[in-house]
């Protein structure tokens, strides 16, 4: 039975509707649905989105490889531009410039990755949200946590390449 095009599910909602809310777009609770209008608990929704997002990440290993290769290439380019800086007035200014590029590159690389994924999944997200399969917060948290390993690996690769090339302060504690 279709719930999105006025099928039998729509009739069931209409039969069980209570006229206590003046908002015509508010779905009233029906059997098997909690007071929020969702059939599954927050944790169940979160787990399902997290699992689906994790499978999506694993399903496309080429995307992960491309992102890591792209990161390594950009890091090598920035490292070669700022190679071997010394701690004098000019070197400190160059290091400031390299740190600015660190931050902008890592920020925009993650932002563009999120925009790319979200725009590709937008039709599915809107359909499932309208069907009240899950909340927006569970979708956001599940997607973010599923991609967290990549959000950590990309800056690690970038910093591991550029940090020694630029000549920043040596030592693991300084690197971290």
């Amino acid at each position: 039975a279709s719930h999105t095009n006025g099928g039998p599910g729509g009739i069931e909602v209409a039969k069980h509707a209570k006229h206590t809310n003046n908002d015509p777009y508010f779905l009233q609770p029906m059997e098997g649905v909690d007071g929020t209008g969702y059939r599954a608990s927050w944790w169940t929704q979160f787990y399902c989105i997290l699992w689906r997002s994790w499978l999506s990440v694993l399903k496309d290993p080429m995307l992960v490889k491309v992102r890591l290769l792209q990161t390594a290439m950009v890091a090598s380019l920035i490292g070669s531009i700022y190679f071997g800086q010394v701690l004098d007035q000019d070197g400190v200014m160059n290091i400031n410039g390299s740190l600015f590029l660190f931050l902008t590159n890592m920020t925009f690389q993650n932002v563009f990755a999120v925009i790319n994924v979200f725009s590709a999944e937008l039709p599915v997200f809107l359909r499932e949200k309208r069907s009240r399969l899950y909340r927006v917060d569970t979708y956001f948290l599940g997607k973010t946590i599923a991609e967290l390993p990549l959000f950590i690996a990309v800056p690690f690769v970038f910093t591991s390449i550029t940090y020694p090339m630029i000549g920043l302060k040596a030592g693991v504690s300084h690197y971290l």
Side-chain angles (χ1 to χ4, degrees):
S2 173
H3 292 270
T4 57
N5 61 4
I11 294 169
E12 185 177 330
V13 171
K15 285 181 184 175
H16 289 87
K18 296 176 187 167
H19 299 288
T20 57
N21 192 330
N22 294 333
D23 186 358
Y25 300 106
F26 181 76
L27 292 176
Q28 297 294 333
M30 46 187 224
E31 285 184 40
V33 179
D34 63 8
T36 63
Y38 296 100
R39 292 188 187 272
S41 70
W42 189 94
W43 287 106
T44 304
Q45 293 175 31
F46 173 72
Y47 174 77
C48 291
I49 294 295
L50 178 63
W51 182 250
R52 183 173 76 178
S53 300
W54 180 248
L55 290 178
S56 176
V57 169
L58 293 178
K59 183 177 70 174
D60 200 359
M62 184 56 77
L63 181 64
V64 173
K65 291 175 186 174
V66 166
R67 281 192 62 193
L68 292 174
L69 180 64
Q70 175 188 9
T71 299
M73 291 173 64
V74 171
S76 299
L77 177 66
I78 291 174
S80 63
I81 290 171
Y82 291 101
F83 187 78
Q85 295 298 314
V86 294
L87 290 177
D88 59 3
Q89 185 64 32
D90 290 335
V92 169
M93 294 300 286
N94 288 338
I95 290 172
N96 281 340
S98 69
L99 292 177
F100 174 76
L101 286 175
F102 265 48
L103 294 174
T104 56
N105 179 64
M106 286 188 270
T107 300
F108 284 115
Q109 190 173 27
N110 285 332
V111 166
F112 288 137
V114 168
I115 289 172
N116 183 34
V117 168
F118 187 73
S119 63
E121 291 187 3
L122 186 60
V124 173
F125 169 75
L126 291 175
R127 183 179 65 239
E128 292 176 348
K129 173 71 175 96
R130 269 187 253 126
S131 298
R132 301 186 64 78
L133 293 176
Y134 52 79
R135 298 166 176 84
V136 175
D137 58 340
T138 57
Y139 174 81
F140 175 76
L141 288 173
K143 290 294 292 179
T144 302
I145 292 172
E147 298 202 12
L148 193 61
L150 197 56
F151 288 154
I152 292 171
V154 167
F156 181 76
V157 167
F158 185 86
T159 307
S160 296
I161 294 171
T162 54
Y163 194 92
M165 287 180 76
I166 294 171
L168 298 174
K169 195 166 185 176
V172 174
S173 63
H174 296 291
Y175 170 81
L176 293 177

